[in-house]
Amino acid sequence: MSTIAFIGVGNMGGPMARNLLKAEHAVTAFDLSASVLEPVLKAGAKKAATANEAVTDADIVVTMLPAGQHVRSVYLDNGILGAAKKGALLIDSSTIDIDSARIVHAAAEKAGFDFLDAPVSGGVGGAEAGTLTFMCGGSEKAFARGLPALEKMGKRIVLAGGAGAGQAAKICNNMLLAISMIGTCEAFVLAEKLGLDPQKLFDIASTSSGQCWSLTTYCPVPGPVPTSPSNRGYAGGFASALMLKDLKLAQAAAQSSGATTPLGAEATQLYSLLAAKGQGGLDFSGIIKMLRGEI
Ligand code: NAD
């Protein structure tokens, strides 16, 4: 089993690292926060004093950090690229801006490393259950090398294309998801005003052309889909604040690439407003409460 260095063991990285340990990989972990390291060490990981120390003997390095600036600082500027073992495979699973992903890719390649940008979807529940989807950007060789370890943490591992393609797939998907959720919420809000039973709207739209994941899996009104966060006061699920982060990344990418995304821009505005009202912790389907004027 390969030796893996895991940098950033927070909400997502912690359970991902534990799944690698369960699969009998030797894991060396590092995080700036001692409290999140604790459960990973208890599960059998070796502790490292710095990120660079963690990667010295690793065959594979996985990073799971908040944003592009953290990823750049950990890899570049006397970071992992100067400290990792020759021939190690480097995988960044953080959700970050495409420019940062491409900068780190290019620097890794120059330093002789295979690198994958491999952001995930599936949330903390998927990280714990080992059922994440990994969207990968990089070479076929890097993908083939990473697959066995990624399969210990996820159920669906897809090579989306070259450098940055994983991040591109993630933000395009999530921009579409935000737009479809807002559309679904608007349909229910209008139905309520028109006196149409929400269950009837669900029964009809879910088997008609309005059908989408936001309706059939994450239905924003309680009742029709018992497992959707709307049935538990919009707690858990995919936090609006994380959706906003992805929408901002999508808008930045749209701007730098010259893509026209007016609905993506509008969705960003609406989720910003929800966050400004102190509701960033609500599941993203909770935006229906704002559309109803309840918050
Ligand atoms: P988190 O804040 O819980 O974990 C990030 C960890 O990185 C923290 O423990 C922090 O101390 C550590 N860290 C920051 N800088 C560091 C450094 N220089 N060296 C070492 N450790 C450092 O965040 P999370 O929820 O685990 O999310 C991680 C990434 O996954 C983010 O990019 C996020 O957008 C993405 N993501 C999160 C979810 C989710 O549901 N939480 C879902 C999909 C993707």
Side-chain angles (χ1 to χ4, degrees), residues 96-141:
I96 64 170
D97 59 287
I98 294 187
D99 290 344
S100 293
R102 288 189 175 145
I103 287 168
V104 179
H105 251 282
E109 202 173 301
K110 201 166 159 210
F113 293 104
D114 282 336
F115 186 93
L116 285 176
D117 54 292
V120 301
S121 72
V124 176
E128 275 162 4
T131 55
L132 293 169
T133 294
F134 284 86
M135 294 154 264
C136 304
S139 67
E140 287 191 10
K141 176 177 158 242

Short mmCIF file of all heavy atoms in Angstrom, two decimals, residues 96-141:
data_model
loop_
_atom_site.label_atom_id
_atom_site.label_comp_id
_atom_site.label_asym_id
_atom_site.label_seq_id
_atom_site.Cartn_x
_atom_site.Cartn_y
_atom_site.Cartn_z
N ILE A 96 -10.99 25.28 -5.76
CA ILE A 96 -10.27 26.56 -5.86
C ILE A 96 -10.47 27.18 -7.24
O ILE A 96 -11.01 26.54 -8.14
CB ILE A 96 -8.75 26.39 -5.56
CG1 ILE A 96 -8.08 25.50 -6.64
CG2 ILE A 96 -8.53 25.80 -4.18
CD1 ILE A 96 -6.56 25.49 -6.54
N ASP A 97 -10.01 28.41 -7.39
CA ASP A 97 -10.12 29.09 -8.69
C ASP A 97 -9.23 28.41 -9.72
O ASP A 97 -8.17 27.87 -9.40
CB ASP A 97 -9.75 30.57 -8.54
CG ASP A 97 -8.33 30.74 -8.03
OD1 ASP A 97 -8.08 30.47 -6.84
OD2 ASP A 97 -7.45 31.08 -8.84
N ILE A 98 -9.71 28.47 -10.96
CA ILE A 98 -9.02 27.75 -12.03
C ILE A 98 -7.61 28.30 -12.27
O ILE A 98 -6.68 27.54 -12.53
CB ILE A 98 -9.87 27.82 -13.31
CG1 ILE A 98 -11.16 27.04 -13.04
CG2 ILE A 98 -9.13 27.28 -14.52
CD1 ILE A 98 -12.04 26.86 -14.19
N ASP A 99 -7.43 29.63 -12.11
CA ASP A 99 -6.10 30.20 -12.34
C ASP A 99 -5.09 29.60 -11.36
O ASP A 99 -4.00 29.20 -11.76
CB ASP A 99 -6.14 31.73 -12.21
CG ASP A 99 -6.90 32.36 -13.37
OD1 ASP A 99 -7.12 31.66 -14.39
OD2 ASP A 99 -7.29 33.54 -13.26
N SER A 100 -5.48 29.52 -10.08
CA SER A 100 -4.56 28.93 -9.09
C SER A 100 -4.27 27.47 -9.43
O SER A 100 -3.13 27.01 -9.34
CB SER A 100 -5.15 28.99 -7.67
OG SER A 100 -5.24 30.32 -7.25
N ALA A 101 -5.33 26.75 -9.82
CA ALA A 101 -5.13 25.32 -10.16
C ALA A 101 -4.13 25.19 -11.30
O ALA A 101 -3.23 24.34 -11.27
CB ALA A 101 -6.46 24.69 -10.54
N ARG A 102 -4.25 26.06 -12.30
CA ARG A 102 -3.34 25.96 -13.46
C ARG A 102 -1.92 26.37 -13.10
O ARG A 102 -0.95 25.78 -13.60
CB ARG A 102 -3.90 26.79 -14.61
CG ARG A 102 -5.14 26.11 -15.20
CD ARG A 102 -5.62 26.76 -16.47
NE ARG A 102 -6.72 25.98 -17.03
CZ ARG A 102 -7.76 26.49 -17.66
NH1 ARG A 102 -7.85 27.80 -17.85
NH2 ARG A 102 -8.71 25.71 -18.14
N ILE A 103 -1.80 27.39 -12.23
CA ILE A 103 -0.46 27.84 -11.81
C ILE A 103 0.26 26.69 -11.07
O ILE A 103 1.42 26.37 -11.35
CB ILE A 103 -0.57 29.09 -10.89
CG1 ILE A 103 -0.96 30.31 -11.73
CG2 ILE A 103 0.73 29.34 -10.13
CD1 ILE A 103 -1.38 31.53 -10.91
N VAL A 104 -0.46 26.04 -10.16
CA VAL A 104 0.17 24.95 -9.38
C VAL A 104 0.47 23.75 -10.29
O VAL A 104 1.53 23.13 -10.19
CB VAL A 104 -0.71 24.55 -8.17
CG1 VAL A 104 -0.07 23.42 -7.39
CG2 VAL A 104 -0.92 25.75 -7.25
N HIS A 105 -0.46 23.46 -11.21
CA HIS A 105 -0.22 22.39 -12.21
C HIS A 105 1.09 22.63 -12.95
O HIS A 105 1.93 21.74 -13.06
CB HIS A 105 -1.34 22.42 -13.26
CG HIS A 105 -2.29 21.27 -13.18
ND1 HIS A 105 -1.99 20.03 -13.65
CD2 HIS A 105 -3.54 21.20 -12.69
CE1 HIS A 105 -3.04 19.23 -13.45
NE2 HIS A 105 -3.99 19.92 -12.86
N ALA A 106 1.23 23.86 -13.48
CA ALA A 106 2.41 24.17 -14.31
C ALA A 106 3.68 24.07 -13.48
O ALA A 106 4.69 23.52 -13.95
CB ALA A 106 2.25 25.58 -14.91
N ALA A 107 3.63 24.59 -12.24
CA ALA A 107 4.83 24.55 -11.39
C ALA A 107 5.18 23.10 -11.04
O ALA A 107 6.36 22.73 -11.01
CB ALA A 107 4.59 25.36 -10.12
N ALA A 108 4.15 22.28 -10.80
CA ALA A 108 4.39 20.87 -10.45
C ALA A 108 5.04 20.15 -11.63
O ALA A 108 6.00 19.40 -11.48
CB ALA A 108 3.08 20.20 -10.04
N GLU A 109 4.50 20.42 -12.80
CA GLU A 109 5.03 19.78 -14.02
C GLU A 109 6.49 20.18 -14.23
O GLU A 109 7.35 19.33 -14.50
CB GLU A 109 4.19 20.23 -15.21
CG GLU A 109 4.27 19.29 -16.39
CD GLU A 109 3.28 19.72 -17.46
OE1 GLU A 109 2.06 19.76 -17.16
OE2 GLU A 109 3.73 20.04 -18.57
N LYS A 110 6.76 21.47 -14.03
CA LYS A 110 8.13 21.96 -14.19
C LYS A 110 9.08 21.28 -13.20
O LYS A 110 10.24 21.01 -13.52
CB LYS A 110 8.13 23.49 -13.96
CG LYS A 110 9.32 24.18 -14.56
CD LYS A 110 9.13 25.67 -14.61
CE LYS A 110 10.50 26.34 -14.71
NZ LYS A 110 10.51 27.66 -14.10
N ALA A 111 8.56 21.00 -12.00
CA ALA A 111 9.39 20.35 -10.98
C ALA A 111 9.43 18.82 -11.16
O ALA A 111 10.03 18.11 -10.36
CB ALA A 111 8.86 20.70 -9.59
N GLY A 112 8.74 18.32 -12.20
CA GLY A 112 8.82 16.89 -12.52
C GLY A 112 7.78 16.01 -11.85
O GLY A 112 7.94 14.79 -11.80
N PHE A 113 6.70 16.63 -11.34
CA PHE A 113 5.67 15.82 -10.65
C PHE A 113 4.42 15.66 -11.52
O PHE A 113 4.03 16.57 -12.26
CB PHE A 113 5.23 16.51 -9.35
CG PHE A 113 6.30 16.56 -8.30
CD1 PHE A 113 6.98 17.74 -8.04
CD2 PHE A 113 6.63 15.42 -7.57
CE1 PHE A 113 7.98 17.79 -7.07
CE2 PHE A 113 7.62 15.46 -6.60
CZ PHE A 113 8.30 16.65 -6.34
N ASP A 114 3.75 14.50 -11.38
CA ASP A 114 2.38 14.34 -11.90
C ASP A 114 1.45 15.04 -10.92
O ASP A 114 1.60 14.88 -9.69
CB ASP A 114 2.01 12.85 -11.97
CG ASP A 114 2.63 12.17 -13.18
OD1 ASP A 114 2.95 12.87 -14.16
OD2 ASP A 114 2.80 10.94 -13.13
N PHE A 115 0.48 15.79 -11.45
CA PHE A 115 -0.43 16.56 -10.59
C PHE A 115 -1.86 16.41 -11.10
O PHE A 115 -2.10 16.42 -12.31
CB PHE A 115 -0.01 18.04 -10.62
CG PHE A 115 -0.78 18.91 -9.65
CD1 PHE A 115 -0.29 19.15 -8.38
CD2 PHE A 115 -1.99 19.49 -10.02
CE1 PHE A 115 -1.00 19.95 -7.48
CE2 PHE A 115 -2.70 20.29 -9.12
CZ PHE A 115 -2.20 20.52 -7.85
N LEU A 116 -2.79 16.28 -10.16
CA LEU A 116 -4.22 16.26 -10.52
C LEU A 116 -4.94 17.33 -9.72
O LEU A 116 -4.75 17.43 -8.50
CB LEU A 116 -4.86 14.92 -10.13
CG LEU A 116 -4.59 13.67 -10.95
CD1 LEU A 116 -5.28 12.48 -10.28
CD2 LEU A 116 -5.10 13.83 -12.39
N ASP A 117 -5.77 18.16 -10.40
CA ASP A 117 -6.76 18.92 -9.62
C ASP A 117 -7.96 17.97 -9.56
O ASP A 117 -8.38 17.43 -10.58
CB ASP A 117 -7.09 20.28 -10.24
CG ASP A 117 -7.54 20.24 -11.69
OD1 ASP A 117 -6.70 19.92 -12.55
OD2 ASP A 117 -8.74 20.52 -11.95
N ALA A 118 -8.46 17.74 -8.35
CA ALA A 118 -9.49 16.71 -8.18
C ALA A 118 -10.52 17.13 -7.14
O ALA A 118 -10.67 16.50 -6.09
CB ALA A 118 -8.84 15.38 -7.78
N PRO A 119 -11.25 18.25 -7.43
CA PRO A 119 -12.28 18.66 -6.47
C PRO A 119 -13.39 17.62 -6.38
O PRO A 119 -13.53 16.78 -7.27
CB PRO A 119 -12.79 19.98 -7.06
CG PRO A 119 -12.51 19.88 -8.51
CD PRO A 119 -11.25 19.08 -8.64
N VAL A 120 -14.14 17.71 -5.29
CA VAL A 120 -15.15 16.66 -5.04
C VAL A 120 -16.54 17.26 -4.92
O VAL A 120 -16.72 18.43 -4.64
CB VAL A 120 -14.84 15.91 -3.72
CG1 VAL A 120 -13.48 15.27 -3.79
CG2 VAL A 120 -14.94 16.82 -2.51
N SER A 121 -17.53 16.41 -5.12
CA SER A 121 -18.89 16.74 -4.68
C SER A 121 -19.37 15.56 -3.84
O SER A 121 -18.83 14.45 -3.93
CB SER A 121 -19.82 17.02 -5.85
OG SER A 121 -20.12 15.83 -6.52
N GLY A 122 -20.35 15.84 -2.98
CA GLY A 122 -20.85 14.79 -2.10
C GLY A 122 -20.87 15.21 -0.64
O GLY A 122 -21.50 14.56 0.18
N GLY A 123 -20.17 16.32 -0.33
CA GLY A 123 -20.23 16.88 1.01
C GLY A 123 -19.62 15.99 2.09
O GLY A 123 -18.98 14.98 1.80
N VAL A 124 -19.84 16.41 3.33
CA VAL A 124 -19.24 15.72 4.48
C VAL A 124 -19.78 14.28 4.57
O VAL A 124 -19.04 13.34 4.86
CB VAL A 124 -19.50 16.51 5.79
CG1 VAL A 124 -18.97 15.75 7.00
CG2 VAL A 124 -18.85 17.89 5.71
N GLY A 125 -21.08 14.11 4.27
CA GLY A 125 -21.68 12.76 4.30
C GLY A 125 -20.97 11.84 3.31
O GLY A 125 -20.65 10.69 3.64
N GLY A 126 -20.71 12.34 2.12
CA GLY A 126 -20.03 11.55 1.09
C GLY A 126 -18.59 11.27 1.47
O GLY A 126 -18.05 10.19 1.18
N ALA A 127 -17.95 12.25 2.14
CA ALA A 127 -16.55 12.05 2.59
C ALA A 127 -16.52 10.93 3.63
O ALA A 127 -15.63 10.09 3.61
CB ALA A 127 -15.99 13.35 3.16
N GLU A 128 -17.49 10.95 4.55
CA GLU A 128 -17.51 9.93 5.59
C GLU A 128 -17.82 8.55 5.03
O GLU A 128 -17.20 7.56 5.39
CB GLU A 128 -18.54 10.31 6.67
CG GLU A 128 -17.93 11.24 7.68
CD GLU A 128 -18.93 12.00 8.53
OE1 GLU A 128 -20.15 11.77 8.38
OE2 GLU A 128 -18.46 12.84 9.31
N ALA A 129 -18.78 8.50 4.10
CA ALA A 129 -19.20 7.21 3.55
C ALA A 129 -18.25 6.70 2.46
O ALA A 129 -18.37 5.55 2.02
CB ALA A 129 -20.61 7.34 2.98
N GLY A 130 -17.30 7.54 2.03
CA GLY A 130 -16.40 7.13 0.95
C GLY A 130 -17.11 7.07 -0.39
O GLY A 130 -16.76 6.25 -1.25
N THR A 131 -18.09 7.95 -0.57
CA THR A 131 -18.89 7.91 -1.81
C THR A 131 -18.76 9.21 -2.61
O THR A 131 -19.65 9.56 -3.38
CB THR A 131 -20.38 7.68 -1.49
OG1 THR A 131 -20.81 8.69 -0.57
CG2 THR A 131 -20.61 6.32 -0.86
N LEU A 132 -17.67 9.95 -2.41
CA LEU A 132 -17.51 11.23 -3.11
C LEU A 132 -17.40 11.02 -4.62
O LEU A 132 -17.03 9.94 -5.08
CB LEU A 132 -16.22 11.92 -2.62
CG LEU A 132 -16.22 12.40 -1.17
CD1 LEU A 132 -14.81 12.81 -0.76
CD2 LEU A 132 -17.19 13.56 -0.98
N THR A 133 -17.75 12.08 -5.37
CA THR A 133 -17.41 12.11 -6.79
C THR A 133 -16.16 12.99 -6.93
O THR A 133 -16.12 14.09 -6.38
CB THR A 133 -18.55 12.74 -7.61
OG1 THR A 133 -19.67 11.87 -7.55
CG2 THR A 133 -18.16 12.94 -9.07
N PHE A 134 -15.15 12.47 -7.60
CA PHE A 134 -13.94 13.26 -7.88
C PHE A 134 -13.95 13.66 -9.34
O PHE A 134 -14.11 12.82 -10.23
CB PHE A 134 -12.67 12.41 -7.63
CG PHE A 134 -12.34 12.23 -6.17
CD1 PHE A 134 -12.92 11.20 -5.44
CD2 PHE A 134 -11.45 13.08 -5.53
CE1 PHE A 134 -12.62 11.02 -4.09
CE2 PHE A 134 -11.14 12.91 -4.18
CZ PHE A 134 -11.73 11.88 -3.46
N MET A 135 -13.80 14.98 -9.59
CA MET A 135 -13.72 15.49 -10.96
C MET A 135 -12.26 15.89 -11.19
O MET A 135 -11.78 16.82 -10.56
CB MET A 135 -14.63 16.72 -11.09
CG MET A 135 -16.10 16.37 -10.94
SD MET A 135 -17.10 17.76 -10.37
CE MET A 135 -17.15 17.43 -8.61
N CYS A 136 -11.59 15.14 -12.05
CA CYS A 136 -10.13 15.30 -12.14
C CYS A 136 -9.69 16.04 -13.40
O CYS A 136 -10.24 15.85 -14.48
CB CYS A 136 -9.46 13.93 -12.13
SG CYS A 136 -9.90 12.94 -10.68
N GLY A 137 -8.65 16.84 -13.22
CA GLY A 137 -7.98 17.49 -14.35
C GLY A 137 -6.51 17.11 -14.32
O GLY A 137 -5.87 17.21 -13.27
N GLY A 138 -5.98 16.68 -15.45
CA GLY A 138 -4.57 16.30 -15.50
C GLY A 138 -4.35 15.29 -16.60
O GLY A 138 -5.25 15.05 -17.42
N SER A 139 -3.18 14.68 -16.60
CA SER A 139 -2.87 13.72 -17.67
C SER A 139 -3.52 12.37 -17.38
O SER A 139 -3.87 12.08 -16.23
CB SER A 139 -1.35 13.53 -17.77
OG SER A 139 -0.89 12.88 -16.60
N GLU A 140 -3.66 11.57 -18.43
CA GLU A 140 -4.20 10.21 -18.24
C GLU A 140 -3.30 9.39 -17.33
O GLU A 140 -3.78 8.58 -16.53
CB GLU A 140 -4.39 9.52 -19.60
CG GLU A 140 -5.56 10.13 -20.32
CD GLU A 140 -6.00 9.36 -21.55
OE1 GLU A 140 -5.52 8.25 -21.75
OE2 GLU A 140 -6.83 9.92 -22.29
N LYS A 141 -2.01 9.65 -17.43
CA LYS A 141 -1.05 8.91 -16.59
C LYS A 141 -1.27 9.26 -15.11
O LYS A 141 -1.34 8.38 -14.25
CB LYS A 141 0.38 9.25 -17.03
CG LYS A 141 1.45 8.63 -16.17
CD LYS A 141 2.85 8.96 -16.72
CE LYS A 141 3.91 8.82 -15.66
NZ LYS A 141 4.62 10.07 -15.35
#
